[in-house]
Amino acid sequence: MKVKKVQLYKTVYTPDELPQTPYNEVAFVGRSNVGKSSLLNAVANNFKLAKVSSQPGKTRSINFYLVNDRFFLVDLPGYGFAKVPLKEQQRWRELIESYLKGRDRLKGVFLLVDSKVGPTEKDLQMKEWLDFFGIPYTVVATKVDRLKASQRRNLEERIKKALGGGDFKVIPFSAKTREGREVLLREIFNYIES
Ligand SMILES: Nc1nc2c(ncn2[C@@H]2O[C@H](COP(=O)(O)OP(=O)(O)OP(=O)(O)O)[C@@H](O)[C@H]2O)c(=O)[nH]1
Ligand SMILES: [Mg+2]
């Protein structure tokens, strides 16, 4: 299956704005600046779809992207960026949590972890949270183009171990070189069809 058409369907700032839709969806979570928006653009083959910024805290809303008129990719605001005012961080947290708890058609979550930094405390919390609510997820190790060969070795195993292990895959990915895009696409379609 191919990504033929991607369009921004809805931008959501508060839980009551979350749309009820007839389509299945997968969501992308991770700390601010980890590369969520870049990954979406790489998947969509559209560099202008989601706003990318070297300044963390760029995505402040939940963005629903409709793919092939059939399913949604959902870009969530990044967590854990200290420079974003606490009140705003709290608002994002509530928005992310009410999203993750309340979606009947959410088939899977992609938890993005920076391959160089490794999982943070906040990533571990998110992982435990997904486990607790029984939401299937896949970990994506982002920006692997920045790794030296030695840092690449056993990357999947190391990230898995740092997250405390469990029943999930780790996909190495680069929005820059597009490494891992095909594997990621397959995983997205698997979730959507599950
Ligand atoms: N080298 C490299 N840089 C990347 C890659 N993906 C993203 N970046 C850079 O990382 C920074 C953050 O990327 P974004 O895609 O905006 O990250 P985000 O997770 O959407 O951030 P928020 O919207 O703040 O949550 C930008 O400067 C990107 O150019 C990658 O695969 N390789
Ligand atoms: Mg973003």
Side-chain angles (χ1 to χ4, degrees), residues 33-147:
N33 218 40
V34 72
K36 294 177 295 301
S37 297
S38 302
L39 175 146
L40 279 172
N41 289 343
V43 164
N45 283 326
N46 180 346
F47 294 108
K48 289 187 198 144
L49 195 67
K51 281 197 192 88
V52 168
S53 172
S54 55
Q55 229 179 331
K58 189 70 192 171
T59 308
R60 291 166 177 247
S61 49
I62 297 182
N63 296 308
F64 286 77
Y65 296 97
L66 183 60
V67 181
N68 298 352
D69 297 314
R70 258 197 64 215
F71 65 89
F72 288 115
L73 301 176
V74 183
D75 190 11
L76 299 178
Y79 47 74
F81 182 56
K83 277 187 190 154
V84 173
L86 263 183
K87 217 174 160 189
E88 182 80 353
Q89 284 195 45
Q90 183 64 20
R91 188 183 73 78
W92 291 358
R93 195 193 160 87
E94 279 163 19
L95 184 60
I96 293 168
E97 289 191 359
S98 57
Y99 169 81
L100 288 172
K101 276 189 213 163
R103 302 299 288 178
D104 294 343
R105 289 181 166 273
L106 176 62
K107 295 295 180 173
V109 166
F110 291 90
L111 171 57
L112 276 63
V113 171
D114 190 309
S115 60
K116 213 161 183 173
V117 178
T120 64
E121 188 57 38
K122 290 249 163 62
D123 295 326
L124 198 56
Q125 280 172 19
M126 177 55 79
K127 184 252 185 191
E128 282 167 0
W129 209 86
L130 293 168
D131 281 333
F132 181 79
F133 283 99
I135 301 171
Y137 58 90
T138 298
V139 172
V140 179
T142 63
K143 311 188 189 181
V144 290
D145 58 278
R146 293 166 72 207
L147 299 183

Side-chain angles (χ1 to χ4, degrees), residues 24-26 105-108 136 187-194:
N24 288 346
E25 62 199 40
V26 292
R105 289 181 166 273
L106 176 62
K107 295 295 180 173
E187 191 77 349
I188 291 171
F189 291 131
N190 281 343
Y191 278 134
I192 290 300
E193 274 151 27
S194 69

